[in-house]
Amino acid sequence: MDAAEFRRRGKEMVDYVADYLENIEKRLVYPDVEPGYLRSLIPTEAPLEPESYEDVIKDVERVIMPGITHWHSPYFFAYFSAASSYPAMLADMLCGALGCIGFSWAASPACTELETVMLDWLGKMLQLPECFIAGTHGSGGGVIQGTASEATLMSLLAARCKAIRRVQATNSNYSESDVLGKLVAYTSEQAHSSVERAALIGGVMMKQVPADNSYAVRVDMLKKMMEEDKAAGLIPFYFCATLGTTPSCAFDRIVELGPLSITTLLHSSSSTPQHWQIPLGRRFRSLKLWFVFRLYGLQGLQAHIRKQVALAKVFESLVRADKRFEICAEVIMGLVCFRLKGSNELNQNLLKRITDSREIHLVPCQLSGRFVLRFAICARTTESSHIQQAWRHITQLTFELLQEPSH
């Protein structure tokens, strides 16, 4: 493929993507395939000779699309919001073309410096204290991690390193393994499994802090556990707060927890970006932030978030108006946790019907031992009409389920 064909195919691809997104709600949001479906559709080995671009694109529809869960469909209500916008897609294209591997400033100065500035922009949008900002006299700043799991692991490893050094500075007879055996980290019992995985990889003990009735961690319980562990000779060094738990989007009481965590637990800082991440290199991810921040503006981003919060409230009102259902947790941001009043088995059967219909897509969670359905406003294009249609679909399947003799 030369530059001339790339221009032509690139324009065709933009049209294909735009057509896909404009017509995405016509596709079944959840794929009708079984595990292993793809292997039989393609050769067992890569082609020896080049194939035509037309054949590749045909196979996108034949092979790939049948197995796609359409995250950007307005009927996708699983997990959490999918980060997608036209400005971000354009920035991704440019990022791929530049091909930067930003392992140092010299490797691509713009890659390093734009990331630093974009994190400052984000920090100011969130109204973080000045000490979090790189463009000040403090030691703030950061890099964009590849995933939240990487970010959790990196923060734990940094805190572990700082804890070992601090203990050894006052107890020179302690070896690194001596300190490691005493370190203890904490997180909410509602935290994502990646937090526990970070502790396993980091080789430290992690304890789950019980949450309150709203599924959030409060300072009194964490403080009590830390004091008990200190009395037992352990060294508390890390607490991973969750702002938006996976099951119910609960926010740990960070205003209460912050002073305790910051003054008691240990933190680490570094002025070298490559020390803030697991891999040596990194993509030019900040281009996406730069494009999105500029083409949406702060007010545009706020409007998008507020729209999704408002749509969640619309769905909540529909659930509350139907006496067969109940809301299972405070509705926070764009997530509604709900269920049919009745057994876990009843709700499992309802979710199976929803999934098998492939018209909308939800996933479950466990809250206080109950099987709960999560309805998350995810897609940028979701409107009130999609919420209404999704609720009509849920209630129709509910009616059919409850008509069965066993119910």
Side-chain angles (χ1 to χ4, degrees), residues 315-328 338-342 346-347 350 370 391 394-395 398 402:
F315 186 78
E316 178 190 10
S317 67
L318 293 171
V319 175
R320 291 192 183 278
D322 191 323
K323 300 304 182 183
R324 297 172 298 178
F325 290 87
E326 60 183 333
I327 298 293
C328 304
F338 74 107
R339 72 195 300 272
L340 266 173
K341 294 176 181 177
L346 179 66
N347 284 276
L350 175 58
R370 297 183 299 172
W391 180 243
I394 292 170
T395 54
T398 298
L402 295 178

Side-chain angles (χ1 to χ4, degrees), residues 25-87:
E25 64 183 273
K26 297 178 182 177
R27 297 177 183 262
L28 294 176
V29 64
Y30 190 70
D32 187 10
V33 296
E34 297 294 330
Y37 89 96
L38 189 145
R39 184 172 291 275
S40 64
L41 299 179
I42 60 177
T44 57
E45 297 179 358
L48 184 62
E49 299 293 333
E51 297 184 15
S52 71
Y53 181 81
E54 288 83 0
D55 286 343
V56 174
I57 290 299
K58 287 178 183 177
D59 281 350
V60 169
E61 285 293 336
R62 183 182 69 88
V63 179
I64 304 302
M65 285 301 179
I68 291 293
T69 301
H70 298 285
W71 279 60
H72 306 311
S73 167
Y75 294 114
F76 181 88
F77 303 110
Y79 313 114
F80 282 111
S81 300
S84 170
S85 68
Y86 291 121

Side-chain angles (χ1 to χ4, degrees), residues 110-141:
C111 180
T112 297
E113 295 197 10
L114 184 63
E115 192 160 335
T116 300
V117 177
M118 287 304 99
L119 267 294
D120 277 4
W121 279 19
L122 179 61
K124 291 174 182 178
M125 287 179 181
L126 298 174
Q127 299 183 10
L128 295 180
E130 193 173 273
C131 60
F132 285 87
I133 307 303
T136 65
H137 299 296
S139 57

